[in-house]
Amino acid sequence: MTTVSSPRLRWGILATGGIAHTFTSDLRTAGLDVRAVGSRSLDSAQRFATEFDIPRAHGDYASLLADDDIDIVYIATPHPMHAENALDALAAGKHVLVEKPFTLTGEEAERVRVAAEEAGLLAMEAMWTRYLPHMMRIQELLAAGALGEVRAVTADHTQFISTDPAHRLNALELGGGALLDLGIYPLSFAWDVLGAPVSVTANARLGETGADIDVATLASYANGALATTYSSAQGVGPNRAAIIGTDARIEIDPTWYNATGFTLTDRSRDVLETFHCPDAGRGMQYQALAAEQIIAEGRRDSDRLPIAETVAIMRQLDDIRTQIGVRYPSEN
């Protein structure tokens, strides 16, 4: 990625959960400027600030957003809070990088998109996999036609998280379910390779709370290509992804959505290229660097994941939830 010479943005971290720890650690690894953190508890904010050597800790989100010493806010709250937090940050004049899923619903995503456009600010989904080095190289190969015509994409995202009905992932009021936590990764990957599908068929297994535990999808595209995805919150699979073309295929190493590598193989099974990511922690810093570059160039949207595509993917998730019978309490 080409870098732009400009002053570093001053980052604020909104919420102090596990994903915020991973993101901030990668920001520190990349030497980015983290100025403040906000939490619902001052103690939590202070502990986080001490851990990452952050100058200021705020005991509520409003104080963080009112901090004049930050330019961009990373939003790491639970799913149902993303839209409200993003809208508040935009209203305070801050750019936002919003942890996936961008919002709970497509309607909420559209509200954030409109607010960012009206404010002239960047609102970007933190789908960090789009910006990883191996994904950037894959895009170069696709653009060069190295695979011929792409006929199929397949990807899975499976983890054993918890069977506890009280766990966040099993709580519908918190946007629980495998789809929004895990399934969004392979679905976004399919969009990245093939664009918008013409149809998506979904099936799922629901748990006792009504949250989806396992979700499988089959998408078809205008050119006849197909994409299959599988996600599970109660089973550990290979976590592999592949792109199959008429001339060659790409097999991404497990775990495909982390900073990893891939192999490009032709129809004769000859290896044409192998790629390995540099040792870069989890790799979440690449999306932050992309956000900084976008803003430094005077742009307000990501070419790797335009906000219109983020909205469209959220609407696809709405459709999948309708098919599998999952509805959040806030939608009633």
Side-chain angles (χ1 to χ4, degrees), residues 25-332:
S25 177
D26 282 352
L27 256 61
R28 283 304 195 202
T29 297
L32 301 190
D33 187 359
V34 185
R35 292 289 182 95
V37 59
S39 176
R40 292 175 297 177
S41 152
L42 182 58
D43 286 345
S44 177
Q46 288 174 334
R47 287 194 299 271
F48 193 95
T50 298
E51 179 178 354
F52 294 105
D53 193 25
I54 299 172
R56 285 184 305 288
H58 297 283
D60 59 77
Y61 300 150
S63 297
L64 173 72
L65 298 180
D67 191 328
D68 292 333
D69 202 34
I70 58 174
D71 307 302
I72 185 168
V73 176
Y74 170 68
I75 294 173
T77 46
H79 309 341
M81 299 175 65
H82 287 182
E84 177 185 353
N85 297 150
L87 291 169
D88 287 346
L90 292 166
K94 314 297 185 186
H95 303 285
V96 291
L97 179 63
V98 186
E99 186 52 48
K100 41 63 46 191
F102 188 67
T103 53
L104 199 63
T105 67
E107 180 181 357
E108 289 182 349
E110 175 64 11
R111 287 171 54 205
V112 175
R113 185 199 68 78
V114 170
E117 182 178 7
E118 292 177 346
L121 296 166
L122 175 69
M124 182 170 132
E125 181 184 2
M127 180 52 71
W128 52 284
T129 55
R130 292 276 182 116
Y131 304 90
L132 292 172
H134 68 290
M135 292 296 186
M136 301 296 283
R137 176 57 184 154
I138 287 171
Q139 284 299 312
E140 292 175 351
L141 291 170
L142 291 172
L147 278 69
E149 185 179 0
V150 175
R151 305 306 305 145
V153 170
T154 180
D156 70 299
H157 187 177
T158 57
Q159 300 181 36
F160 188 90
I161 296 178
S162 177
T163 59
D164 181 359
H167 188 278
R168 175 191 66 81
L169 196 129
N170 298 314
L172 285 178
E173 66 273 17
L174 295 177
L179 181 65
L180 261 63
D181 260 78
L182 309 177
I184 190 170
Y185 285 94
L187 287 165
S188 183
F189 174 63
W191 274 79
D192 197 23
V193 176
L194 291 170
V198 295
S199 68
V200 179
T201 302
N203 283 285
R205 178 170 67 97
L206 306 185
E208 62 181 273
T209 66
D212 47 290
I213 295 171
D214 305 292
V215 183
T217 70
L218 171 62
S220 60
Y221 298 81
N223 67 350
L226 298 172
T228 60
T229 74
Y230 172 69
S231 300
S232 177
Q234 293 184 10
V236 180
N239 288 321
R240 290 183 177 273
I243 307 169
I244 301 168
T246 53
D247 295 336
R249 71 180 185 271
I250 289 173
E251 294 176 88
I252 307 178
D253 301 336
T255 299
W256 68 268
Y257 47 83
N258 285 340
T260 186
F262 66 82
T263 303
L264 173 67
T265 307
D266 68 13
R267 287 180 297 185
S268 300
R269 295 185 172 85
D270 292 328
V271 174
L272 304 178
E273 178 176 330
T274 57
F275 182 92
H276 299 285
C277 281
D279 184 8
R282 185 76 176 273
M284 300 187 85
Q285 69 272 30
Y286 294 107
Q287 64 184 349
L289 291 166
E292 292 205 355
Q293 182 170 348
I294 290 165
I295 293 167
E297 292 175 348
R299 296 184 289 124
R300 293 299 180 261
D301 202 3
S302 168
D303 54 352
R304 286 292 293 123
L305 181 52
I307 192 167
E309 186 171 321
T310 288
V311 173
I313 292 172
M314 291 307 308
R315 293 196 187 281
Q316 183 185 91
L317 296 182
D318 290 345
D319 175 61
I320 290 170
R321 288 193 298 107
T322 297
Q323 291 186 48
I324 65 177
V326 172
R327 188 173 179 85
Y328 303 124
S330 61
E331 296 180 284
N332 296 328

